[in-house]
Amino acid sequence: MMPDLGKYGDTVLSAYGASVMLLVVLVALSVWRGRKVRAEMAQIEERMKRNG
């Protein structure tokens, strides 16, 4: 149940919305970067195996 926020309701809800959006963006960037680094590491490991 959400408390009555009065005249600050829009401000508080938009702040919550902005925070959630920022968290989603940060998680998405972290996942994207993790996949990129994992692919680069696999490529380096493959080169190391070939060059032995």
Side-chain angles (χ1 to χ4, degrees):
M1 192 83 165
M2 192 169 93
D4 182 25
L5 300 173
K7 67 180 182 177
Y8 301 108
D10 291 340
T11 304
V12 171
L13 292 177
S14 64
Y16 277 132
S19 298
V20 169
M21 292 280 282
L22 182 60
L23 285 171
V24 168
V25 168
L26 288 172
V27 168
L29 286 173
S30 295
V31 169
W32 174 74
R33 178 72 177 142
R35 288 180 179 169
K36 184 178 176 185
V37 168
R38 190 176 302 123
E40 289 173 0
M41 288 177 64
Q43 199 175 39
I44 290 169
E45 287 177 1
E46 188 60 35
R47 263 189 283 160
M48 293 296 288
K49 286 180 186 175
R50 283 190 307 222
N51 295 336

